[in-house]
């Protein structure tokens, strides 16, 4: 069996046609093992030698007898040992999924023989609030099987039973203790050396799954700004594990990127290239990546946070909060979009003046808080954008809705639904009445209603139906056809007081049947 001296299990697949072919090393993410690459290996070996491996204490690798603390040296030395065993010291391309992408970048910083790095749905930066939430979710889970049931539906699209069986088997190759150790390590490391990657001279390709709700494409697109030769591709109809959802496309992108001359014109699939057309890249990066962690909240109340500090000011004046939220959500907008959204009924000259006044007011709010607007937003004659390290809480709700829609197990979907809807206020997006946000709220309410209706169509137990209806009523997600059932169930379960609490204030009781 192919093991390194440290007990790491690896498999070397020689190139089918060329003995002197370059080598591709595949690095999986947390909770995964090397089997996630099985579908693309036969395609890659037409052009490359290919290596798969399992992290220490996971998959087929041997379990360590001595407890050792995790550090980057552990992951990098693991790869170095594999290359020694395979007698490889040149012409290497790294492909990393999730946290494996971070390992690939760290290894490329240390070794000059790395020719390119491909990142697949890799989180280079995540807001601290999101990291804390994800850590709490995992640390509060009593059983590993429960955590697996929550995570696996988010990894693939479409979410088929065969894929779920495969993913569960894969995640069970990790012990719960090992998974938590690895997860906590990477949570502490994500974003710590974010800007150091700007000095990496190696070409970097970012592959993002179109349907990935864990790391949305707009977030991954922003990472491309970091690399001097960065490219960005979207894999359609794929979630987080694009190599399982779309193996042919995934392999095609990897082969093209690793094989092509990086200074040549981009391929037809090439969506974004950050080679600057003027000025110094390093100067551009210094201007772009001021280390500002921006968080915008609007679901329960409007709030802007920068590096954990709330930005206070007169956000209700001059359409400041409305415009700032619009830009933060879409990351980059044109001035024409702003005119049409916020001043559709006045002439263009007046709209231009109104926008100028609003931007000046936003600039003043940040200045009062000791921050230059140039560290937050990029404003030119045509477009206005917010710097890439920006999180909007709408993203989290959208992610949760997509996860519930993808979930096939009724019990898991029910728990997710109750958790999401319970945490929403009855009137979310308060004091926001712009057309785009009203439509977004309407669409979300319709999706939440449809999910609730789907659950009711499959749940028969009276107590579970009652609890679900109560949650939906709290958000006004129950239409009149279900109100009679709630009244009947309230009486049947001795909860008559809930009729007054959840119905009478919002509906005419005379319309209900008794």
């Amino acid at each position: 069996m192919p093991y390194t001296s440290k007990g790491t299990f690896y498999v070397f697949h020689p190139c089918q046609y060329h003995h002197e072919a370059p080598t591709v090393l595949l690095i999986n993410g947390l909770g995964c093992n090397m089997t996630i690459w099985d579908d693309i290996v036969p395609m890659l070996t037409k052009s490359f030698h290919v290596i798969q491996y399992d992290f220490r204490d996971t998959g087929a690798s041997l379990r360590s007898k001595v407890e050792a603390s995790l550090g980057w040296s552990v992951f990098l030395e693991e790869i170095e040992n594999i290359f020694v065993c395979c007698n490889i010291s040149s012409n290497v391309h790294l492909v990393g999924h999730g946290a494996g992408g971070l390992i690939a970048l760290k290894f490329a910083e240390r070794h000059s023989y790395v020719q390119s790095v491909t990142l697949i749905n890799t989180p280079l930066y995540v807001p601290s609030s999101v990291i804390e939430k994800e850590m709490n979710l995992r640390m509060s889970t009593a059983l590993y099987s429960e955590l697996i049931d929550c995570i696996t539906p988010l990894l693939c699209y479409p979410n088929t039973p065969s894929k779920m069986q495969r993913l569960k088997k894969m995640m069970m190759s990790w012990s719960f203790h090992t998974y938590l150790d690895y997860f906590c390590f990477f949570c502490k490391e994500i974003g710590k050396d974010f800007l150091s990657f700007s000095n990496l001279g190696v070409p970097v390709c970012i592959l993002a799954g179109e349907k990935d709700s864990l790391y949305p494409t707009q977030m991954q697109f922003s990472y491309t700004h970091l690399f001097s030769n960065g490219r960005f591709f979207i894999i359609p109809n794929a979630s987080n594990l694009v190599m399982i959802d779309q193996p042919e496309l995934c392999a095609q992108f990897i082969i093209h990127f690793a094989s092509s001359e990086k200074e040549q014109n981009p391929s037809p699939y090439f969506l974004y290239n950050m080679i600057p057309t003027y000025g110094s890249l390093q100067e551009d990066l210094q201007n772009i990546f001021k280390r500002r962690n921006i968080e915008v909240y609007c679901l329960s109340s409007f709030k802007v946070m920068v590096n954990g500090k709330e930005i206070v000011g007169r956000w209700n004046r001059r359409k400041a909060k409305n415009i700032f939220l619009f830009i933060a959500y879409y990351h980059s907008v044109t001035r024409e979009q702003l005119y049409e959204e916020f001043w559709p009924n006045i002439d263009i000259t007046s709209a231009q003046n109104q926008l100028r006044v609003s931007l000046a007011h936003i600039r003043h709010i940040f200045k009062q808080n000791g921050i230059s607007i140039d560290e937050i937003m990029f404003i030119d004659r045509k477009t206005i954008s917010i710097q890439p390290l920006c999180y909007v809480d709408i993203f989290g709700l959208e992610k949760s809705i997509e996860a519930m829609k993808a979930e096939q197990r009724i019990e898991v979907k029910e728990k997710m639904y109750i958790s999401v809807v319970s945490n929403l206020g009855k009137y979310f997006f308060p004091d926001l009445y712009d057309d785009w946000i009203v439509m977004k709220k309407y669409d979300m309410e319709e999706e939440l209603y449809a999910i609730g209706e789907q659950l009711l169509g499959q749940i028969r137990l009276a107590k579970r139906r009652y609890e679900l209806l109560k949650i939906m009523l709290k958000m006004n997600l129950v239409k009149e056809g279900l109100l009679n059932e709630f009244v009947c169930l309230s009486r049947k379960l001795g909860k008559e007081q809930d009729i007054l609490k959840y119905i009478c204030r919002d509906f005419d009781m005379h319309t209900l049947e008794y």
Side-chain angles (χ1 to χ4, degrees):
M1 297 291 284
Y3 289 95
T4 68
S5 59
K6 299 293 185 179
T8 300
F9 179 76
Y10 69 93
V11 178
F12 178 85
H13 305 272
C15 180
Q16 299 176 30
Y17 304 110
H18 310 290
H19 178 70
E20 299 298 327
T23 300
V24 168
L25 176 73
L26 304 172
I27 312 172
N28 48 261
L30 300 188
C32 303
N33 59 32
M34 67 181 194
T35 63
I36 65 168
W37 308 105
D38 286 353
D39 297 339
I40 70 171
V41 167
M43 290 174 271
L44 295 181
T45 53
K46 293 178 181 179
S47 304
F48 306 98
H49 303 308
V50 179
I51 300 175
Q52 300 168 267
Y53 77 102
D54 284 329
F55 298 143
R56 72 169 195 176
D57 298 330
T58 73
S61 289
L62 302 179
R63 271 47 179 174
S64 304
K65 295 181 181 180
V66 180
E67 189 80 15
S69 60
L70 287 176
W72 286 115
S73 60
V74 172
F75 298 101
L76 304 187
E77 289 171 6
E78 198 166 38
I79 297 174
E80 290 166 356
N81 289 335
I82 292 172
F83 285 157
V84 168
C85 292
C86 297
N87 195 27
I88 293 171
S89 59
S90 64
N91 210 359
V92 168
H93 301 268
L94 305 178
V95 179
H97 163 254
L102 295 173
I103 297 172
L105 290 171
K106 287 288 184 179
F107 192 88
E109 285 182 322
R110 180 182 293 191
H111 298 281
S112 60
Y113 56 77
V114 175
Q115 302 299 302
S116 75
V117 175
T118 298
L119 307 176
I120 300 178
N121 294 316
T122 293
L124 298 183
Y125 181 89
V126 178
S128 57
S129 58
V130 178
I131 290 178
E132 182 179 357
K133 179 180 177 181
E134 294 297 328
M135 285 188 68
N136 289 339
L137 168 66
R138 286 157 177 78
M139 300 303 291
S140 63
T141 304
L143 298 175
Y144 189 33
S145 57
E146 292 181 2
L147 184 61
I148 291 174
D149 286 342
C150 289
I151 294 175
T152 48
L154 305 178
L155 299 179
C156 286
Y157 178 89
N159 210 343
T160 63
S162 60
K163 287 181 183 178
M164 292 303 97
Q165 184 177 3
R166 178 179 176 182
L167 298 187
K168 287 182 179 181
K169 181 180 179 181
M170 175 181 66
M171 292 195 70
M172 288 304 297
S173 68
W174 292 56
S175 71
F176 196 12
H177 173 73
T178 301
Y179 176 84
L180 291 178
D181 279 354
Y182 276 59
F183 187 83
C184 290
F185 169 76
F186 281 100
C187 279
K188 293 175 183 176
E189 293 296 321
I190 288 176
K192 183 180 291 186
D193 298 322
F194 183 65
L195 295 180
S196 68
F197 297 136
S198 65
N199 298 317
L200 189 66
V202 175
V204 176
C205 176
I206 297 176
L207 297 184
E210 177 196 10
K211 304 292 186 178
D212 187 7
S213 58
L214 292 174
Y215 308 118
T217 54
Q218 61 265 39
M219 181 174 77
Q220 296 191 64
F221 176 79
S222 67
Y223 299 153
T224 319
H225 291 272
L226 192 63
F227 304 107
S228 60
N229 196 344
R231 300 185 179 188
F232 178 80
F233 302 90
I234 294 176
I235 306 291
N237 294 317
S239 184
N240 188 265
L241 294 174
V242 299
M243 68 293 290
I244 292 177
D245 288 339
Q246 293 282 10
E248 293 84 3
L249 272 179
C250 181
Q252 182 181 353
F253 281 122
I254 293 171
I255 292 170
H256 176 83
F257 180 69
S259 301
S260 63
E261 294 292 335
K262 303 307 181 296
E263 67 274 11
Q264 291 180 352
N265 292 329
S267 75
Y269 302 102
F270 178 62
L271 297 182
Y272 196 75
N273 192 331
M274 268 305 295
I275 299 175
T277 57
Y278 61 92
S280 165
L281 173 68
Q282 295 303 319
E283 290 177 3
D284 290 346
L285 287 171
Q286 291 303 315
N287 291 330
I288 292 172
F289 286 96
K290 303 287 184 181
R291 194 169 178 80
R292 294 293 188 185
N293 173 13
I294 307 169
E295 300 169 59
V296 183
Y297 298 91
C298 61
L299 290 178
S300 57
S301 62
F302 182 81
K303 181 168 62 174
V304 177
M305 307 284 289
V306 175
N307 289 346
K309 176 186 175 182
E310 183 175 1
I311 304 302
V312 296
R314 296 182 176 181
W315 285 105
N316 287 321
R317 297 187 63 188
R318 310 292 187 186
K319 297 184 182 288
K321 71 177 180 182
N322 310 70
I323 292 172
F324 191 79
L325 175 61
F326 186 77
I327 297 170
Y329 178 80
Y330 289 106
H331 286 288
S332 181
V333 299
T334 65
R335 289 176 179 267
E336 284 72 19
Q337 285 176 288
L338 293 171
Y339 302 151
E340 292 174 4
E341 181 63 41
F342 296 103
W343 300 282
N345 300 318
I346 64 176
D347 62 88
I348 186 64
T349 301
S350 298
Q352 290 171 340
N353 290 332
Q354 291 286 353
L355 178 58
R356 191 178 301 114
V357 170
S358 296
L359 291 176
H361 184 64
I362 293 173
R363 184 187 298 273
H364 180 68
I365 291 175
F366 280 102
K367 185 178 180 179
Q368 285 183 315
N369 287 267
I371 298 173
S372 169
I373 192 67
D374 296 330
E375 299 178 29
I376 303 297
M377 301 171 72
F378 318 122
I379 303 174
D380 60 30
R381 292 182 178 180
K382 292 185 178 181
T383 62
I384 301 173
S385 57
I386 200 161
Q387 67 112 314
L389 309 185
C390 179
Y391 169 80
V392 182
D393 61 352
I394 304 175
F395 297 155
L397 180 55
E398 290 176 330
K399 169 183 169 182
S400 297
I401 290 174
E402 289 302 315
M404 286 188 288
K405 288 163 62 177
E407 178 57 55
Q408 300 296 315
R409 295 157 301 174
I410 194 66
E411 293 82 5
V412 176
K413 179 177 288 192
E414 181 185 4
K415 290 180 181 179
M416 294 168 66
Y417 188 80
I418 291 175
S419 174
V420 169
V421 178
S422 296
N423 289 323
L424 281 176
K426 184 174 183 179
Y427 304 106
F428 61 108
F429 297 131
D431 300 322
L432 292 167
Y433 306 109
D434 304 303
D435 288 346
W436 78 276
I437 204 73
V438 170
M439 288 304 300
K440 186 163 290 294
K441 179 180 180 181
Y442 174 80
D443 290 341
M444 287 180 169
E445 287 177 336
E446 287 296 300
E447 288 184 302
L448 288 171
Y449 175 77
I451 295 170
E453 195 173 43
Q454 182 187 26
L455 287 168
L456 289 169
Q458 300 181 58
I459 294 174
R460 296 290 176 263
L461 190 65
K463 187 175 181 180
R464 287 172 61 189
R465 292 182 67 84
Y466 165 77
E467 292 296 333
L468 188 60
L469 284 168
K470 186 168 69 173
I471 290 292
M472 294 174 70
L473 274 166
K474 174 189 171 186
M475 290 291 297
N476 283 343
L477 294 176
V478 171
K479 299 180 181 179
E480 288 194 24
L482 294 171
L483 295 179
N484 289 319
E485 180 181 0
F486 181 77
V487 171
C488 293
L489 288 174
S490 298
R491 289 172 171 169
K492 180 179 179 179
L493 297 171
K495 305 280 189 179
E496 288 89 346
Q497 69 277 8
D498 283 346
I499 299 175
L500 296 174
K501 183 177 180 181
Y502 289 95
I503 295 182
C504 290
R505 290 178 301 176
D506 299 308
F507 297 95
D508 182 359
M509 287 296 292
H510 296 292
T511 65
L512 301 177
E513 299 176 3
Y514 287 88

